[in-house]
């Protein structure tokens, strides 16, 4: 018992442990609030664009018009991909690689083409971040096109970030509403505290590695189904349920078999995820405008939320509520994006959060080097191989 | 003051924080001790091989002869690289990419060729780990050869892991002594507690991402000069000093300008790194056998250690002592490995530690999701762009 008392505490999962200070975002998980640089997420989703939010996260203030114009031009300039990178994307698609594996590899490869590779000043880090941010949608559009045996559509410079992305995906300029939907998705995913992918990225930059490496770690981490994969899982869950009138029975079975409801619950939100609320409202509009599958998915989602929250409330679990991943599949479906690409779009948006955090950390960096607690035997005798039993 | 008292503690760098339990390694940083699975590092360096140490870390026991033979055969089988991966390595070399960027990209790309991609059972994770472990030296040898305009030498199956690596580098089967030196380097770098790269890799696997992603995060993180880059920096430091008789003056200048001595000091070791002691002895043998540059570097290193430790002791800094990176450059030089590849070899060895840790964590995983402390303003008003000052 004495030795047990001396055993150090192990903070598995690091729940509740603060690892750095930030001015980027604040999540009030008890009161359904999220702020980027002090601005409520609702105001940004309503009024802003992804480029403006990116500027906000990089410079900690909203841009003037001339600044935003320059920033957008810089991003638009950087959209093109080297042919060799496109060839690797094509090859990986032909090998049926996971879209996140393709994105991870392509971004890693792009480091070799960066004109400032090896330079690690704050200014070059910002330019590198913008290059990665601008090229990520091109990579995703490329893999989507190749996977459908369609030609790659080169980027256009005269379109906004998300307009160009939708254009590269579908070879068609999107409507104003489609642009608004995609901007909202990109704004809502841009930054979200010290989640696992942001943290992996931070650990990487804490060794004074480089921005590409930090983003690659983020992609590698966001790939995990416990993190970036929830929207895709929520989509398949809605498809499995099939129609709103089957929800009640499905929930009873799910609860009986202790099956998790995908897209509900969050390590930090113990109330309704404010991003989910924004997406739910937008999904309502989408359902009206589009009908068809988006409408069906929306009706299933609304019914499932109602039934699940009622059941959870009865069990005293008021903390399990929809998160953003619950309500994005409906919008993605309306935009013609198949489920295997949901996580890549989350990633394309989140790159701004990872890189903004990396640059913030680099202002006062400290190597992240925790400990693990050894619980095995010590001083074992090395027995020669011919004497081992 | 009240609000300051309420401010949560920020564990920047996570120094002293335990993040998981392990049976893989134990570092006693006060008493110069390191164990792998309970075996003192000295016994392993003296008696073992890299393959045996890899088996030990994966299975938590030393193998019987038949088990080791099978394990070695599995590793030897997996050494080949797909032609497309070799082409990317060649292209990146032609772009003068950083060797760690090439390694990161090649491993990321290899995921698409893994026959068990998408399968995440413990058995497939072990096989994936072995494939990455076996292919990493082939990637390094390829980039080394391409960078010298030399042909890629395909791997041989009849050689041990490090023998084959040296063969692929130099197109010549190494001597028994060269093999012993490389085996020692590989054994000493195999595993080392919860350092930054192992931790990034752990954060990645904690989302239930995959083994390739975990290794890619590790590479991205080990690239940083505060982590994997120390041996290369120590090499250039010895070269800058130039000869043993210049050490005294160089140290005085370094101390006066508060310049760090590369390869000394460690977050965990507050005494002599036991791996550095093993390398120092081996370097003594190397200096005698090889003469030339290895001997010169060795003499500079020995003298620099003597002078620096004397000076640090006078300042009461007994905790700054040589770590492993201080003494590997001499051995690398004897093996004909140029400094820009030092970190890649560290990586090739450390992949076993990352993957063993990832698989250990997956037995009882928990999402690693800490917090960051918001220190900015809240509830800022969104001012339309044409009204911003």
């Amino acid at each position: 018992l004495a030795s047990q008392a001396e055993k150090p505490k192990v903070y598995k999962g690091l729940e509740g442990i603060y690892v750095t200070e930030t001015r980027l975002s604040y999540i009030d998980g008890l009161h359904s609030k999220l702020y980027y640089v002090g601005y409520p997420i609702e105001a940004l989703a309503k009024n802003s664009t992804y480029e403006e939010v990116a500027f906000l996260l990089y410079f900690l203030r909203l841009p003037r018009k001339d600044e935003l114009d320059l920033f957008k031009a810089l991003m638009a300039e950087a959209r093109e991909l080297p042919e060799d990178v496109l060839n690797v994307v094509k090859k990986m698609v032909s090998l049926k690689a996971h879209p996140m594996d393709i994105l991870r590899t392509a971004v890693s490869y792009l480091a070799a083409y960066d004109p400032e590779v090896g330079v690690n000043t704050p200014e070059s880090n910002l330019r590198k971040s913008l290059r990665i941010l601008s090229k990520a949608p091109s990579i995703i559009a490329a893999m989507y096109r190749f996977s459908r045996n369609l030609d790659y559509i080169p980027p256009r410079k005269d379109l906004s970030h998300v307009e160009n992305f939708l254009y590269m995906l579908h070879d068609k300029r999107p409507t104003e509403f489609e642009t608004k939907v995609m901007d909202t998705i990109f704004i809502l995913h841009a930054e979200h505290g010290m989640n696992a992918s942001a943290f992996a990225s931070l650990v990487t930059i804490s060794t004074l590695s480089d921005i590409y490496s930090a983003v690659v770690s983020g992609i590698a981490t966001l790939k995990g189904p416990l993190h970036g994969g929830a929207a895709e899982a929520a989509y398949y869950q809605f498809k499995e349920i099939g129609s709103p009138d089957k929800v009640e029975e499905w929930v009873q079975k799910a609860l009986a078999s202790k099956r998790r409801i995908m897209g509900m619950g969050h390590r930090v939100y113990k109330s309704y995820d404010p991003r989910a609320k924004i997406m739910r409202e937008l999904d309502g509009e989408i359902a009206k405008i589009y009908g068809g599958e988006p409408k069906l998915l929306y009706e299933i989602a609304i019914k499932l939320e109602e039934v699940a929250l009622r059941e959870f409330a009865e069990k005293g679990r008021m903390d399990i509520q929809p998160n953003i991943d619950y309500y994005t599949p409906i919008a993605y479906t309306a935009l013609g994006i198949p489920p295997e690409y949901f996580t890549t779009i989350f990633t394309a948006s989140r790159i701004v959060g990872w890189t903004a955090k990396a640059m913030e950390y680099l202002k006062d960096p400290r190597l992240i080097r925790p400990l693990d607690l050894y619980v095995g035997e010590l001083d074992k005798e090395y027995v020669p191989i011919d004497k081992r039993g």
Side-chain angles (χ1 to χ4, degrees), chain A:
Chain A
L1 276 170
S3 74
Q4 278 201 341
E6 286 164 28
K7 193 173 157 181
K9 182 166 167 57
V10 174
Y11 295 88
K12 197 155 177 180
L14 289 177
E15 190 160 355
I17 297 285
Y18 290 89
V19 295
T20 191
E21 294 189 348
T22 187
R23 294 180 176 274
L24 292 176
S25 65
Y26 175 66
I27 307 168
D28 180 348
L30 282 179
H31 304 99
S32 293
K33 289 197 170 182
L34 169 64
Y35 302 85
Y36 292 169
V37 196
Y39 291 98
I41 190 66
E42 294 79 9
L44 295 170
K46 189 176 168 201
N47 303 302
S48 194
T49 61
Y50 183 66
E51 289 95 326
E52 183 173 86
V53 165
F55 186 102
L56 174 66
L57 290 166
Y58 287 142
F59 295 98
L60 300 178
R61 62 175 178 82
L62 290 170
R64 292 189 316 264
K65 179 143 192 333
D66 59 324
E67 293 173 323
L68 184 59
D69 288 344
L70 176 62
F71 190 78
K72 287 175 75 168
L74 285 171
M75 285 185 69
E77 280 296 330
R79 285 174 188 154
E80 283 186 37
L81 296 177
E83 205 181 318
D84 286 300
V85 175
L86 277 174
N87 287 339
V88 165
V89 170
K90 193 174 223 167
K91 178 74 195 182
M92 290 185 84
V93 167
S94 79
L95 291 166
K96 309 217 175 305
H98 191 292
M100 290 295 279
D101 289 353
I102 304 178
L103 189 56
R104 188 189 63 217
T105 306
V107 170
S108 182
Y109 194 0
L110 279 172
Y113 288 89
D114 195 288
E116 295 177 288
V117 65
V119 187
N120 293 307
T121 61
E123 298 73 28
S124 72
N125 284 339
L126 176 62
R127 287 189 292 262
K128 284 180 191 174
S129 301
L130 279 182
R131 287 182 202 117
I132 305 172
L133 202 60
S134 301
K135 289 182 205 305
S138 305
I139 299 167
I140 299 166
M143 66 176 104
Y144 169 78
R145 302 281 304 175
F146 293 143
S147 73
R148 268 72 186 162
N149 286 313
L150 298 167
D151 284 338
Y152 171 71
I153 306 293
R156 273 172 63 170
K157 292 181 191 172
D158 60 326
L159 304 179
S160 83
H161 188 71
V162 301
E163 255 184 309
N164 173 67
F165 180 33
L166 287 167
Y167 163 72
M168 289 179 75
L169 282 168
H170 300 308
D171 193 18
K172 209 180 82 185
R173 206 176 155 157
T175 66
E176 217 171 291
F177 183 72
E178 287 164 344
T179 303
K180 177 68 196 164
V181 171
M182 197 53 128
D183 245 333
T184 306
I185 290 174
F186 266 71
I187 291 169
L188 296 182
H189 287 89
E191 158 59 21
H192 206 244
M194 199 45 73
N195 51 78
S197 57
F199 187 46
S201 174
L202 204 75
V203 175
T204 296
I205 209 69
S206 86
T207 69
L208 306 184
S209 189
D210 71 309
I211 290 289
Y212 282 87
S213 290
V215 172
V216 168
S217 286
I219 299 172
T221 308
L222 191 51
K223 185 189 171 189
L226 292 191
H227 189 7
E232 190 178 346
Y235 172 85
Y236 287 117
Q237 166 181 275
F238 300 147
K239 295 291 280 183
E240 183 192 318
I241 295 172
S243 76
D245 60 300
K246 302 225 175 94
V247 164
E248 190 76 54
E249 190 194 340
W250 188 92
V251 170
Q252 298 307 333
K253 273 193 192 160
L255 292 174
S257 61
K258 302 206 170 173
R259 186 172 161 184
R260 244 187 99 184
I261 300 199
M262 301 314 292
M264 290 202 181
H266 193 277
R267 176 79 70 91
V268 181
Y269 289 116
K270 302 304 171 196
S271 59
Y272 211 101
D273 180 341
R275 302 168 302 171
K277 189 159 170 281
I278 293 166
M279 280 310 302
R280 187 179 62 177
E281 278 171 31
L282 192 54
D283 287 342
E285 284 186 67
I286 289 169
K288 266 188 229 157
I289 295 170
Y290 285 79
E293 197 184 357
K295 182 161 182 277
L296 179 61
L297 292 175
Y298 175 73
E299 286 169 352
I300 294 167
I302 291 288
K303 182 71 183 173
L304 179 59
E305 175 182 334
E306 180 199 315
V307 175
L309 293 196
R310 184 195 74 209
E311 294 289 330
F312 289 139
E314 277 177 19
K315 296 179 200 297
R317 295 298 306 268
M318 308 294 282
D319 57 318
I320 308 179
Q321 307 217 22
N323 60 50
I324 185 169
D325 301 314
Y326 187 86
Y327 275 114
T328 47
I330 296 153
Y332 285 135
T333 303
L335 296 174
I337 292 162
E340 64 269 29
Y341 294 100
F342 291 177
T343 313
T344 63
I345 296 176
F346 181 168
T347 310
S349 164
R350 183 58 57 83
I351 289 168
V352 70
W354 297 333
T355 51
K357 276 192 159 60
M359 289 187 279
E360 185 180 50
Y361 197 80
L362 284 173
K363 287 178 193 165
D364 179 23
R366 175 143 175 76
L367 178 69
I368 299 176
R369 206 292 182 204
L371 296 169
D372 50 8
L373 184 66
Y374 185 68
V375 293
E377 291 171 63
L378 283 178
D379 289 314
K380 291 186 195 169
E381 195 199 344
Y382 184 92
V383 177
I385 194 159
D386 51 359
K387 304 241 165 86
R388 288 174 204 157

